[in-house]
Amino acid sequence: MAALLLMSMPAPCAETSDAAELALDSITVVATGVSNVIAASAGDVSQKQMAGQPLLRPAAILENIPGLIVTQHSGEGKANQYFLRAFNLDHGTDLALEVDDMPVNMPSHAHGQGYSDFNFVIPELAGDLHYKKGPYYADEGDFATAGTARIGLVNEVATGATLGYGEDGYRRALLAGSVSLAEGTLIGAAEVYHNDGPFDLPDDYNRLNGVIRYYRGDAQDYTTVTAMVYSGKWNSTDQVPQRAIDAGSIDRFGTLNPTDGGISSRSSLSFNRVKRTDDDQVQFSAYVIRYKLDLWSTFTYTLRDPINGDQMLQHDDRVVYGFKASKSWFGHLFDLPLTSVIGLQTRVDDIHDVGIFPTFERRVIGTTQNAGLLESNGALYAESSVQWLPYLHTTLGLRWDQFDFDVKDKMLNSDGGCNINSDPLGCVTGNKRASLFSPKLGVVLGPWAKTTYFLNVGDGYHSNDARGVTRSAQNPDQMPVTPLTRATGAEVGLATRLVPNLDTRLDIFQLKLKSELVFDGDAGVTSPSGATTRRGIEWGNTFHANSWLAAQFNAAFTRARFDKDAPADDLGCADASPMHPCTQPIGIVGRYVPNSPTNVVDAGLTAQRESGWFGALRARHFGESPLVEDNSAKSRAYTTVDAQIGFRQGSTKQGSQWTAALDIFNIANVKWNDIEYYYVSRLKNEASPAADYVVHPGVPRTLRARFQHQF
């Protein structure tokens, strides 16, 4: 362990990124056809940095974003939970994610708005991570309220094989390589993965991934074509009431329904073309994605159905296609440096089936909701950046979005009619159009004394589920909802190198959401929750001690509140079966936003010696969070530490290279929960439902070894 501590901690994040250097040394930055806004909270993470720390799951590469936490409340094949800027982002509602210019978020999804499954990503093929927090960027649209993360893929990879072996049935094999073809480079990769996790019922998660990518050109003028395919199948140990563990009905890693789990698949084809000259830059990208999910979950056990239980199937089957096009001009306005960009974006989700079905041991026994829909989004944006003075740079942008929702309810009467008799939630058949203008402004001042200052303001939005948007309101308790929820954000910040070898960033932000209306995929309804305001301060530091050792410390302290008391929350009592109702009514009133994180701290060291030894040590602290609106129930804070130590011999430039590494997760074997909720559920033998903490345990101390040979 002493050797590990000597070598250690996680890859320095974007505080050392090219964006930070450009912001300080040359504050005119032109990215690949994207917004030219610079903010203290934006940054880039290199492939080397992402590879420099242990990864428990593929989406953990996103934890290189300061202040972002990635967790899981079910089987690992399901999309992760994300936390950032006082948001429980659920599976991606207010965090826009992209891979190779393709969207990851799925609107109007069976399990929740913006569902973002990252399991199709092979971490070794992630070439860079560009992140932006807040709604200040003209090229970012739906879901880009708390932030945006874009993963670019590598254009060349050393040919070789990687084998992983570890506790709890962890097995992984990766073959990857690249060859010259038609004046370009053809990349291929195939991954086979299995993991059971620490659970009494093994996850038995089997994942297959394949990638073929062709790259031709150089950094100024290139073309890529990429095909990706993913297939996953797993069992789930869903979150369980704490009282079941305390009573000894199950242990900490036990399950209350052994038939929960899922099957998912994703295949895609994408195209990118970029050409840049001294005068302009043109970018075009297009994609088509085929996606399916069948997810069986039991969150309330026997609350609704005391006979068969509350297991449900959430089914999603869609094709997604779209394109992006932009052109940038580099010129002058009255001898002042000027950069302008105009862009066009479109996306269409052709959802053949999206539904929720009550099930018993994965057998369908009814229908809660079933629909087909076509959801399309088109956007135009324009942005201009001017260098007014050596120490003053401004960027002004405007974005216009239009959505069209077309939903066909499949729960019909015998005569083909659709009303409350056929669909108790209220018929979702209908058409609706909505549009939104979003202004953006960025100001950069400095540098003075090696310090640059930033001011950013802007509007953004997230869309709401099409089924809630088009609901006909034949059920008076289920009214149509606002199609697009506006978000207004502002932040001030700085980036400094005043202390030698230390890069520091600091920002203070505020984000207001007009409404937190979200589609509850577990219930099939859209739940109103009122306007909110989030405020926080984020502080990031990276210190380069020497050429081989770097240290990092990031902290985020945030606060989320409803602007007015939220509607009384019964924690789910209204869903209880009349045979077993709540013994007393529940009506929690308050202004706290449930599951909104209050503080996140991560710290680390990374080491890479010329001798070949390398290591990482990373500590992560997630503070307590309110779980109900009056803050009477809170999640417990936890701190975990992960480590990596390894040795690398040789070089691919010299002919071959082999690597051996050991990852240790939760080295102190802390008992912590990946997620905590507080709501009403009923266990099979209980006379009435009970409100309780509902938890999903985090991994105990877990070891994984990795062996790699490249040639």
Side-chain angles (χ1 to χ4, degrees):
M1 186 62 68
L4 182 64
L5 292 173
L6 179 65
M7 294 298 303
S8 302
M9 259 176 145
C13 250
E15 316 329 320
T16 62
S17 67
D18 295 339
E21 294 175 359
L22 290 167
L24 291 171
D25 300 332
S26 175
I27 57 177
T28 301
V29 182
V30 179
T32 310
V34 299
S35 173
N36 298 301
V37 169
I38 309 171
S41 59
D44 293 275
V45 185
S46 70
Q47 181 187 25
K48 182 178 179 181
Q49 291 171 324
M50 286 187 284
Q53 60 178 290
L55 297 177
L56 182 64
R57 47 180 67 102
I61 60 178
L62 298 174
E63 291 189 328
N64 284 282
I65 301 173
L68 189 144
I69 295 289
V70 177
T71 70
Q72 181 57 268
H73 74 116
S74 187
E76 284 295 336
K78 186 178 178 180
N80 297 108
Q81 298 276 119
Y82 306 98
F83 295 85
L84 179 68
R85 284 199 162 185
F87 277 93
N88 173 3
L89 298 159
D90 194 33
H91 300 288
T93 303
D94 286 281
L95 178 65
L97 300 176
E98 290 189 354
V99 173
D100 194 39
D101 247 15
M102 294 182 291
V104 180
N105 305 74
M106 296 292 175
S108 303
H109 188 273
H111 186 68
Q113 183 69 345
Y115 186 89
S116 299
D117 184 357
F118 233 73
N119 284 297
F120 72 94
V121 175
I122 300 176
E124 288 85 349
L125 299 189
D128 60 83
L129 166 61
H130 179 61
Y131 67 84
K132 301 177 283 189
K133 300 178 188 177
Y136 320 124
Y137 307 91
D139 62 319
E140 304 296 351
D142 201 5
F143 307 117
T145 49
T148 302
R150 294 184 174 187
I151 298 286
L153 300 180
V154 297
N155 295 318
E156 187 174 7
V157 64
T159 300
T162 301
L163 295 177
Y165 184 88
E167 295 181 282
D168 300 322
Y170 172 78
R171 309 288 187 268
R172 182 175 185 255
L174 172 66
L175 296 176
S178 55
V179 296
S180 297
L181 178 68
E183 300 182 356
T185 302
L186 182 66
I187 301 168
E191 177 194 45
V192 180
Y193 176 98
H194 177 270
N195 191 31
D196 290 327
F199 305 102
D200 296 348
L201 173 70
D203 272 2
D204 193 25
Y205 177 34
N206 293 291
R207 181 174 79 219
L208 298 174
N209 270 319
V211 177
I212 297 177
R213 178 174 172 87
Y214 179 73
Y215 170 83
R216 181 175 179 175
D218 55 40
Q220 299 293 106
D221 186 351
Y222 66 85
T223 302
T224 66
V225 179
T226 306
M228 307 178 75
V229 61
Y230 158 76
S231 176
K233 185 178 182 180
W234 66 95
N235 299 322
S236 292
T237 296
D238 286 337
Q239 68 256 25
V240 297
Q242 184 65 47
R243 64 185 183 279
I245 300 173
D246 295 342
S249 302
I250 57 172
D251 68 20
R252 178 171 163 75
F253 295 99
T255 181
L256 292 171
N257 191 336
T259 63
D260 288 344
I263 302 171
S264 183
S265 64
R266 182 189 187 277
S267 56
S268 65
L269 181 65
S270 58
F271 170 84
N272 279 277
R273 178 76 175 98
V274 175
K275 184 174 183 179
R276 176 170 176 169
T277 68
D278 292 338
D279 299 319
D280 62 16
Q281 174 176 285
V282 177
Q283 180 185 22
F284 177 82
S285 64
Y287 58 86
V288 59
I289 304 167
R290 183 75 166 93
Y291 169 86
K292 289 184 178 182
L293 173 71
D294 284 324
L295 182 66
W296 291 270
S297 307
T298 312
F299 298 128
T300 52
Y301 304 103
T302 59
L303 179 72
R304 297 181 177 91
D305 187 339
I307 307 300
N308 298 301
D310 296 347
Q311 188 185 67
M312 74 184 102
L313 165 64
Q314 293 165 311
H315 172 71
D316 198 287
D317 182 0
R318 72 177 69 199
V319 176
V320 185
Y321 45 93
F323 72 86
K324 297 181 180 180
S326 66
K327 181 168 184 177
S328 300
W329 292 269
F330 318 130
H332 291 81
L333 175 66
F334 305 118
D335 295 326
L336 300 174
L338 170 69
T339 298
S340 297
V341 59
I342 294 178
L344 170 66
Q345 300 170 352
T346 66
R347 171 178 177 167
V348 177
D349 285 73
D350 186 358
I351 306 176
H352 306 151
D353 294 289
V354 57
I356 303 171
F357 307 90
T359 56
F360 176 73
E361 296 180 349
R362 297 198 182 189
R363 297 193 304 272
V364 174
I365 58 175
T367 302
T368 301
Q369 189 172 86
N370 192 19
L373 63 93
L374 189 69
E375 180 173 333
S376 58
N377 167 217
L380 289 169
Y381 66 89
E383 191 178 83
S384 289
S385 300
V386 181
Q387 183 86 43
W388 299 98
L389 297 166
Y391 53 83
L392 174 61
H393 173 267
T394 64
T395 303
L396 181 64
L398 182 65
R399 180 183 179 91
W400 175 78
D401 285 91
Q402 179 173 293
F403 278 74
D404 285 280
F405 305 91
D406 185 359
V407 184
K408 299 291 189 298
D409 199 322
K410 295 185 177 183
M411 299 176 66
L412 305 178
N413 295 312
S414 58
D415 62 359
C418 179
N419 55 38
I420 194 171
N421 294 322
S422 59
D423 188 346
L425 294 176
C427 181
V428 298
T429 290
N431 299 277
K432 195 153 191 176
R433 171 172 290 180
S435 60
L436 190 72
F437 281 95
S438 304
K440 324 278 186 175
L441 173 66
V443 179
V444 182
L445 297 169
W448 296 297
K450 297 185 178 181
T451 302
T452 303
Y453 301 88
F454 307 88
L455 170 66
N456 302 91
V457 294
D459 282 359
Y461 71 95
H462 73 240
S463 63
N464 280 314
D465 191 285
R467 290 164 290 177
V469 168
T470 61
R471 197 175 298 280
S472 68
Q474 294 181 64
N475 182 340
D477 295 327
Q478 302 295 336
M479 299 296 291
V481 300
T482 304
L484 307 177
T485 297
R486 184 180 293 276
T488 301
E491 74 174 61
V492 294
L494 62 85
T496 183
R497 293 181 185 158
L498 191 58
V499 177
N501 301 321
L502 176 65
D503 296 325
T504 295
R505 289 193 170 219
L506 179 71
D507 69 81
I508 301 172
F509 73 88
Q510 175 176 286
L511 181 65
K512 297 181 73 68
L513 275 180
K514 188 175 181 180
S515 170
E516 295 219 2
L517 289 171
V518 295
F519 187 84
D520 181 356
D522 300 332
V525 298
T526 300
S527 305
S529 57
T532 56
T533 299
R534 288 171 168 84
R535 297 186 178 96
I537 182 169
E538 299 170 317
W539 182 38
N541 302 272
T542 299
F543 179 70
H544 297 275
N546 50 46
S547 61
W548 59 270
L549 180 65
Q552 181 189 34
F553 178 85
N554 299 304
F557 304 95
T558 56
R559 177 183 185 272
R561 297 289 188 272
F562 290 104
D563 292 350
K564 299 178 181 179
D565 280 347
D569 187 354
D570 70 356
L571 301 182
C573 274
D575 296 326
S577 166
M579 297 170 58
H580 299 276
C582 291
T583 55
Q584 294 181 343
I586 298 176
I588 295 178
V589 176
R591 292 181 55 196
Y592 288 83
V593 179
N595 289 108
S596 57
T598 56
N599 59 84
V600 175
V601 179
D602 67 85
L605 295 169
T606 53
Q608 177 66 66
R609 299 303 303 270
E610 292 185 2
S611 62
W613 286 99
F614 62 90
L617 190 67
R618 178 173 185 258
R620 180 183 69 169
H621 173 79
F622 191 35
E624 66 177 24
S625 303
L627 298 182
V628 293
E629 289 83 352
D630 64 359
N631 202 30
S632 59
K634 305 176 185 178
S635 66
R636 290 174 291 178
Y638 65 82
T639 302
T640 59
V641 180
D642 302 332
Q644 180 184 90
I645 187 167
F647 183 78
R648 185 175 292 112
Q649 176 67 48
S651 168
T652 54
K653 294 181 180 179
Q654 299 171 352
S656 69
Q657 174 181 280
W658 64 265
T659 302
L662 177 67
D663 294 340
I664 308 174
F665 300 97
N666 190 11
I667 61 178
N669 203 28
V670 173
K671 288 187 177 181
W672 62 289
N673 290 324
D674 230 342
I675 195 74
E676 289 190 30
Y677 301 108
Y678 192 86
Y679 60 79
V680 164
S681 62
R682 178 182 168 272
L683 303 181
K684 190 170 185 179
N685 296 320
E686 291 180 329
S688 59
D692 195 5
Y693 291 89
V694 186
V695 302
H696 183 78
V699 297
R701 183 188 298 116
T702 303
L703 279 66
R704 295 179 181 176
R706 172 169 54 93
F707 307 92
Q708 184 181 67
H709 182 250
Q710 296 178 325
F711 49 88

